[in-house]
Structures are given as structure tokens and as C-alpha cells.
Amino acid sequence: KWRVVFPNNERQKEAWDRAARLYSGNRIQTTKYTWLTFLPQNLFEQFHRLANLYFLFLVILNWFPQVQVFHREITMLPLLAVLLAISVKDAIEDYRKYQFDKAINSSKTRVYDK
């Protein structure tokens, strides 16, 4: 794919507008989540861990009266505690990345021209 460079004048403005749509912006984005995707994406990532799937299996298994060992609510506590702790950690980490990206994207740059 070739890169097309246009001079900054009015005659080439339409051609530049067409070519500019093909390229992404110059902004840095290292965050994983948005407000809408945080909960589903975070839970999806957490249940890819084998330990979390094991505790989920125990919670589901404990809902059957024939196999029930503890109260249903007590079995869910370890899983909920781990999920909550990891979610809070991921949210704080992603927010720090967002703040850093915002600082980098709003910093002034110096352009050298001959």
C-alpha cells in the first residue's frame, strides 16, 4: 500500500479528505475497556482462568439438593470475592492507562520544517 502526501492548499483539499479516511488518527489508546464493555469483557477474561471455572462449577453443583454440601450463598462467596477483587484491580489499572493516554495525547509536540 502506498502512502500519498498532499500539499496543504485548497486545490488538493478534496483529494486529501478522501485519502485521510483511509488512515487512522495519531492518538494513542492503550486501554482495554470502555464503560459499556467493561463488565462483559472482564467477566469473559476472568472465566478463562481455570480456577474461576472450578469455583463456578462448585457453585452450580451446590445448587442441586442431592450434592449440596454447604449453603448455596456460602459457596458463592469465594467466587464473588475473587471476581470483585480482580474487577476492581482491572478497573483501576485501565483508568490509569486512560489518564496516561490522555496526558500523552494532549501534550505539545514540536514539528520541524525546512
Side-chain angles (χ1 to χ4, degrees):
K1 198 169 189 177
W2 293 91
R3 181 176 178 196
V4 181
V5 178
F6 294 101
N8 190 12
N9 61 20
E10 290 299 319
R11 292 183 307 176
Q12 300 291 332
K13 185 161 177 42
E14 296 85 23
W16 183 83
D17 287 339
R18 282 192 305 265
R21 289 187 211 128
L22 299 175
Y23 299 106
S24 63
N26 214 14
R27 299 183 61 80
I28 294 173
Q29 183 178 2
T30 58
T31 57
K32 280 200 274 188
Y33 308 110
T34 63
W35 287 103
L36 296 175
T37 63
F38 176 75
L39 188 62
Q41 190 173 353
N42 190 277
L43 288 175
F44 179 76
E45 288 176 6
Q46 286 190 39
F47 282 115
H48 270 83
R49 297 183 180 131
L50 191 59
N52 291 345
L53 284 175
Y54 172 74
F55 282 112
L56 181 65
F57 175 71
L58 289 179
V59 167
I60 293 171
L61 196 61
N62 208 26
W63 280 90
F64 295 107
Q66 298 88 355
V67 190
Q68 184 176 2
V69 178
F70 303 109
H71 294 287
R72 295 176 184 153
E73 297 80 17
I74 293 175
T75 310
M76 290 191 301
L77 285 179
L79 179 63
L80 291 177
V82 168
L83 293 179
L84 182 66
I86 294 174
S87 294
V88 168
K89 178 197 68 89
D90 287 345
I92 291 170
E93 181 180 300
D94 209 53
Y95 183 69
R96 287 183 181 156
K97 285 181 183 180
Y98 167 75
Q99 287 179 328
F100 183 72
D101 292 347
K102 191 174 175 183
I104 292 293
N105 288 329
S106 64
S107 65
K108 292 185 179 185
T109 57
R110 193 177 288 188
V111 177
Y112 293 101
D113 194 9
K114 290 184 180 180

PDB file of all heavy atoms in Angstrom, residues 46 48-56 79:
ATOM      1  N   GLN A  46     -12.071 -13.248  32.931  1.00  0.00           N
ATOM      2  CA  GLN A  46     -11.881 -13.918  34.213  1.00  0.00           C
ATOM      3  C   GLN A  46     -12.289 -15.383  34.158  1.00  0.00           C
ATOM      4  O   GLN A  46     -11.680 -16.218  34.830  1.00  0.00           O
ATOM      5  CB  GLN A  46     -12.665 -13.199  35.308  1.00  0.00           C
ATOM      6  CG  GLN A  46     -12.029 -11.891  35.700  1.00  0.00           C
ATOM      7  CD  GLN A  46     -12.653 -11.320  36.927  1.00  0.00           C
ATOM      8  OE1 GLN A  46     -12.988 -12.063  37.850  1.00  0.00           O
ATOM      9  NE2 GLN A  46     -12.818 -10.009  36.963  1.00  0.00           N
ATOM     10  N   HIS A  48     -11.862 -17.319  31.761  1.00  0.00           N
ATOM     11  CA  HIS A  48     -10.879 -18.086  31.007  1.00  0.00           C
ATOM     12  C   HIS A  48      -9.823 -18.678  31.934  1.00  0.00           C
ATOM     13  O   HIS A  48      -9.001 -19.480  31.495  1.00  0.00           O
ATOM     14  CB  HIS A  48     -10.215 -17.212  29.937  1.00  0.00           C
ATOM     15  CG  HIS A  48     -10.930 -17.255  28.641  1.00  0.00           C
ATOM     16  ND1 HIS A  48     -12.033 -16.480  28.379  1.00  0.00           N
ATOM     17  CD2 HIS A  48     -10.727 -17.997  27.532  1.00  0.00           C
ATOM     18  CE1 HIS A  48     -12.457 -16.735  27.174  1.00  0.00           C
ATOM     19  NE2 HIS A  48     -11.681 -17.657  26.619  1.00  0.00           N
ATOM     20  N   ARG A  49      -9.837 -18.267  33.178  1.00  0.00           N
ATOM     21  CA  ARG A  49      -8.920 -18.842  34.162  1.00  0.00           C
ATOM     22  C   ARG A  49      -9.541 -20.110  34.730  1.00  0.00           C
ATOM     23  O   ARG A  49     -10.715 -20.151  35.088  1.00  0.00           O
ATOM     24  CB  ARG A  49      -8.660 -17.839  35.278  1.00  0.00           C
ATOM     25  CG  ARG A  49      -7.981 -16.591  34.779  1.00  0.00           C
ATOM     26  CD  ARG A  49      -7.675 -15.642  35.909  1.00  0.00           C
ATOM     27  NE  ARG A  49      -7.030 -14.455  35.396  1.00  0.00           N
ATOM     28  CZ  ARG A  49      -7.396 -13.234  35.685  1.00  0.00           C
ATOM     29  NH1 ARG A  49      -8.388 -13.032  36.532  1.00  0.00           N
ATOM     30  NH2 ARG A  49      -6.767 -12.204  35.172  1.00  0.00           N
ATOM     31  N   LEU A  50      -8.737 -21.130  34.827  1.00  0.00           N
ATOM     32  CA  LEU A  50      -9.218 -22.437  35.253  1.00  0.00           C
ATOM     33  C   LEU A  50      -9.744 -22.418  36.688  1.00  0.00           C
ATOM     34  O   LEU A  50     -10.750 -23.069  37.001  1.00  0.00           O
ATOM     35  CB  LEU A  50      -8.108 -23.477  35.097  1.00  0.00           C
ATOM     36  CG  LEU A  50      -8.524 -24.929  35.243  1.00  0.00           C
ATOM     37  CD1 LEU A  50      -9.586 -25.277  34.219  1.00  0.00           C
ATOM     38  CD2 LEU A  50      -7.328 -25.835  35.102  1.00  0.00           C
ATOM     39  N   ALA A  51      -9.111 -21.665  37.578  1.00  0.00           N
ATOM     40  CA  ALA A  51      -9.547 -21.619  38.969  1.00  0.00           C
ATOM     41  C   ALA A  51     -10.950 -21.024  39.090  1.00  0.00           C
ATOM     42  O   ALA A  51     -11.779 -21.521  39.870  1.00  0.00           O
ATOM     43  CB  ALA A  51      -8.562 -20.815  39.801  1.00  0.00           C
ATOM     44  N   ASN A  52     -11.221 -19.980  38.326  1.00  0.00           N
ATOM     45  CA  ASN A  52     -12.551 -19.375  38.376  1.00  0.00           C
ATOM     46  C   ASN A  52     -13.615 -20.316  37.819  1.00  0.00           C
ATOM     47  O   ASN A  52     -14.737 -20.365  38.330  1.00  0.00           O
ATOM     48  CB  ASN A  52     -12.561 -18.051  37.619  1.00  0.00           C
ATOM     49  CG  ASN A  52     -11.762 -16.990  38.324  1.00  0.00           C
ATOM     50  OD1 ASN A  52     -11.414 -17.121  39.500  1.00  0.00           O
ATOM     51  ND2 ASN A  52     -11.448 -15.933  37.610  1.00  0.00           N
ATOM     52  N   LEU A  53     -13.269 -21.064  36.793  1.00  0.00           N
ATOM     53  CA  LEU A  53     -14.215 -22.054  36.265  1.00  0.00           C
ATOM     54  C   LEU A  53     -14.475 -23.167  37.281  1.00  0.00           C
ATOM     55  O   LEU A  53     -15.600 -23.661  37.394  1.00  0.00           O
ATOM     56  CB  LEU A  53     -13.695 -22.650  34.958  1.00  0.00           C
ATOM     57  CG  LEU A  53     -13.822 -21.760  33.736  1.00  0.00           C
ATOM     58  CD1 LEU A  53     -13.154 -22.412  32.530  1.00  0.00           C
ATOM     59  CD2 LEU A  53     -15.273 -21.466  33.432  1.00  0.00           C
ATOM     60  N   TYR A  54     -13.452 -23.543  38.029  1.00  0.00           N
ATOM     61  CA  TYR A  54     -13.612 -24.567  39.060  1.00  0.00           C
ATOM     62  C   TYR A  54     -14.576 -24.092  40.143  1.00  0.00           C
ATOM     63  O   TYR A  54     -15.494 -24.826  40.535  1.00  0.00           O
ATOM     64  CB  TYR A  54     -12.255 -24.917  39.663  1.00  0.00           C
ATOM     65  CG  TYR A  54     -12.341 -25.817  40.863  1.00  0.00           C
ATOM     66  CD1 TYR A  54     -12.646 -27.162  40.716  1.00  0.00           C
ATOM     67  CD2 TYR A  54     -12.134 -25.316  42.144  1.00  0.00           C
ATOM     68  CE1 TYR A  54     -12.738 -27.999  41.824  1.00  0.00           C
ATOM     69  CE2 TYR A  54     -12.223 -26.143  43.254  1.00  0.00           C
ATOM     70  CZ  TYR A  54     -12.527 -27.479  43.088  1.00  0.00           C
ATOM     71  OH  TYR A  54     -12.615 -28.290  44.185  1.00  0.00           O
ATOM     72  N   PHE A  55     -14.395 -22.861  40.613  1.00  0.00           N
ATOM     73  CA  PHE A  55     -15.300 -22.341  41.636  1.00  0.00           C
ATOM     74  C   PHE A  55     -16.711 -22.156  41.091  1.00  0.00           C
ATOM     75  O   PHE A  55     -17.690 -22.355  41.812  1.00  0.00           O
ATOM     76  CB  PHE A  55     -14.764 -21.026  42.212  1.00  0.00           C
ATOM     77  CG  PHE A  55     -13.660 -21.228  43.201  1.00  0.00           C
ATOM     78  CD1 PHE A  55     -12.371 -20.841  42.914  1.00  0.00           C
ATOM     79  CD2 PHE A  55     -13.915 -21.825  44.429  1.00  0.00           C
ATOM     80  CE1 PHE A  55     -11.350 -21.024  43.826  1.00  0.00           C
ATOM     81  CE2 PHE A  55     -12.908 -22.018  45.348  1.00  0.00           C
ATOM     82  CZ  PHE A  55     -11.613 -21.624  45.047  1.00  0.00           C
ATOM     83  N   LEU A  56     -16.852 -21.787  39.838  1.00  0.00           N
ATOM     84  CA  LEU A  56     -18.177 -21.687  39.226  1.00  0.00           C
ATOM     85  C   LEU A  56     -18.831 -23.065  39.147  1.00  0.00           C
ATOM     86  O   LEU A  56     -20.037 -23.204  39.414  1.00  0.00           O
ATOM     87  CB  LEU A  56     -18.070 -21.073  37.830  1.00  0.00           C
ATOM     88  CG  LEU A  56     -19.392 -20.898  37.082  1.00  0.00           C
ATOM     89  CD1 LEU A  56     -20.280 -19.899  37.791  1.00  0.00           C
ATOM     90  CD2 LEU A  56     -19.137 -20.494  35.654  1.00  0.00           C
ATOM     91  N   LEU A  79     -16.030 -17.179  45.103  1.00  0.00           N
ATOM     92  CA  LEU A  79     -16.023 -16.797  43.695  1.00  0.00           C
ATOM     93  C   LEU A  79     -16.336 -15.310  43.528  1.00  0.00           C
ATOM     94  O   LEU A  79     -15.647 -14.601  42.789  1.00  0.00           O
ATOM     95  CB  LEU A  79     -17.021 -17.634  42.902  1.00  0.00           C
ATOM     96  CG  LEU A  79     -17.128 -17.328  41.414  1.00  0.00           C
ATOM     97  CD1 LEU A  79     -15.810 -17.616  40.711  1.00  0.00           C
ATOM     98  CD2 LEU A  79     -18.251 -18.119  40.790  1.00  0.00           C
TER      99      LEU A  79
END
